[in-house]
Amino acid sequence: MANGKTLYIFPGQGSQYRGMGSDLVDSYTVAADIYARASDVVGYDMQLLSFEDPEQQLNKTRFTQPALLTHEYACLETFRSLAGVAVSPTLVAGHSLGEYTALVAAGALTFEAALALVSERGRLMSEHGRGSMLATTLDLQSGQALADKHFCGIGGCNLPDQTVIAGEDADLDRLAEDLKDSHAGKRAIRLNTEGAFHTFLMVRAAEEFREELEKVEFSPFSVDVLSNYTGKLHAPDAESIRSRLFFQLFNPVKWVSCMNFAIDSGVDTIVEFGGGIGRGDGPDGKRPNLESIVRKSLKWREYEAQYAAAINAATISAAVEQLS
């Protein structure tokens, strides 16, 4: 039973898959309503995109982001409909795109406002995106030195020994070769993205996205929200939220700092909502995207907290039983 401090977390791009949400819509009216609302906002059939992806658009950033936010929110609201107030968060956080779902969970944004916002965010990131990203097993200091040498940037700090580096393709190619020679035993995996997200190559997208942020109204938080940009709590005023989301686009995701803050605050339960990774289509057999990072973060800090996944109908039911 979760009776202490609970952290809700939401993953980012890379956790989308064809079929996500189909089991929720088949079983829960609340989820079906959310997908209908999403279609009204974005102007296309969110169920068709997410469940069947007939035109193979789901992995394109402009479609990935609204589809993933919709799935995360559907998982959250399905979970809430079953658990009631028995499992409520004291803190919420999201990885990159997931930060927007976290803001919805905290009451700072309506689902519709967040969906319209991330639709524009995804469009701009795709339109201005160039370069690519490389996930490495380097610590931040080593990763930063290598990035600086090859005119690249740090895109994310997921663990003390997992740093994402991003840049122009040619620069990143040279960096990858250098890494093999200069850091024996360290691994690097090229990520399937449409650009060097969360680096200086996203500045143009951020400049245009700022105009979209200015149009959005933010409400007071019902619970604390962690910021990717600072690795600390969001300030509650609207202008601060806007600036943090603006800077998030071209600065590294400080997930290590977010997890450290959560641990230092004494969370004893962590629940992950939405997305999924692993082979095969459809929800069955998918694994939570952030679970491995979360468990490694806890182990690194020698800290214990229970973890639950709420990423499809089966895991939501199991999580409610585990935590209620």
Side-chain angles (χ1 to χ4, degrees), residues 136-148 153-165 183 186 251-257 260 300:
T136 77
T137 55
L138 295 171
D139 60 81
L140 178 57
Q141 183 176 357
S142 300
Q144 187 70 70
L146 201 60
D148 290 348
I154 301 299
C157 309
N158 292 328
L159 289 164
D161 60 353
Q162 188 182 115
T163 302
V164 178
I165 304 173
H183 295 80
K186 296 298 182 180
N251 282 276
V253 172
K254 296 180 180 176
W255 192 250
V256 172
S257 299
N260 281 336
W300 199 281

Side-chain angles (χ1 to χ4, degrees), residues 6-321:
T6 299
L7 168 68
Y8 283 2
I9 58 174
F10 304 89
Q13 282 184 245
S15 56
Q16 72 279 359
Y17 62 91
R18 187 174 66 182
M20 64 179 185
S22 56
D23 58 333
L24 298 179
V25 169
D26 286 344
S27 302
Y28 299 102
T29 302
V30 64
D33 177 64
I34 287 168
Y35 273 84
R37 290 161 59 190
S39 296
D40 289 341
V41 172
V42 299
Y44 51 82
D45 191 331
M46 185 60 78
Q47 287 194 30
L48 184 64
L49 170 68
S50 300
F51 303 171
E52 301 178 27
D53 191 23
E55 298 181 23
Q56 298 185 336
Q57 296 175 314
L58 190 57
N59 289 327
K60 296 180 179 179
T61 301
R62 68 183 62 206
F63 295 105
T64 301
Q65 295 194 13
L68 193 54
L69 185 142
T70 300
H71 186 239
E72 292 175 356
Y73 185 62
C75 287
L76 173 66
E77 289 302 292
T78 300
F79 177 85
R80 283 173 164 172
S81 72
L82 297 174
V85 296
V87 188
S88 297
T90 52
L91 184 65
V92 295
H95 192 285
S96 189
L97 175 277
E99 186 170 344
Y100 289 82
T101 322
L103 288 165
V104 175
L109 282 172
T110 65
F111 168 60
E112 283 80 4
L115 190 60
L117 198 56
V118 302
S119 294
E120 281 301 295
R121 181 179 185 267
R123 182 186 67 80
L124 291 168
M125 290 173 72
S126 177
E127 182 177 311
H128 296 293
R130 67 182 197 272
S132 50
M133 307 183 79
L134 192 72
T136 77
T137 55
L138 295 171
D139 60 81
L140 178 57
Q141 183 176 357
S142 300
Q144 187 70 70
L146 201 60
D148 290 348
K149 180 179 178 182
H150 293 281
F151 296 88
C152 293
I154 301 299
C157 309
N158 292 328
L159 289 164
D161 60 353
Q162 188 182 115
T163 302
V164 178
I165 304 173
E168 298 279 12
D169 289 330
D171 291 331
L172 209 57
D173 287 341
R174 286 188 286 270
L175 183 148
E177 288 300 315
D178 191 350
L179 187 151
K180 291 179 184 178
D181 296 333
S182 59
H183 295 80
K186 296 298 182 180
R187 301 187 306 278
I189 300 173
R190 204 68 162 249
L191 300 179
N192 183 22
T193 65
E194 290 188 75
F197 300 157
H198 301 291
T199 69
F200 61 93
L201 290 176
M202 283 287 108
V203 169
R204 178 71 180 275
E207 288 174 341
E208 295 189 26
F209 186 56
R210 181 180 176 182
E211 298 176 11
E212 301 302 321
L213 287 167
E214 295 295 339
K215 301 174 185 176
V216 178
E217 296 295 326
F218 292 89
S219 299
F221 299 147
S222 59
V223 297
D224 287 333
V225 186
L226 285 166
S227 160
N228 284 186
Y229 172 59
T230 65
K232 300 176 182 178
L233 293 181
H234 266 288
D237 62 288
E239 282 307 307
S240 292
I241 299 170
R242 290 189 185 99
S243 72
R244 300 303 183 266
L245 295 177
F246 167 76
F247 286 117
Q248 189 232 52
L249 261 181
F250 59 98
N251 282 276
V253 172
K254 296 180 180 176
W255 192 250
V256 172
S257 299
C258 288
M259 285 302 304
N260 281 336
F261 187 99
I263 290 170
D264 290 339
S265 71
V267 299
D268 59 16
T269 301
I270 302 170
V271 189
E272 179 174 348
F273 294 92
I277 56 175
R279 294 184 178 181
D281 292 333
D284 292 344
K286 292 296 182 183
R287 307 187 313 276
N289 186 58
L290 294 173
E291 180 180 10
S292 176
I293 292 175
V294 168
R295 293 194 184 280
K296 287 177 180 178
S297 297
L298 296 173
K299 184 177 181 180
W300 199 281
R301 288 289 305 272
E302 298 182 342
Y303 186 86
E304 293 186 5
Q306 65 175 331
Y307 167 89
I311 65 168
N312 52 38
T315 58
I316 288 171
S317 296
V320 170
E321 183 177 351

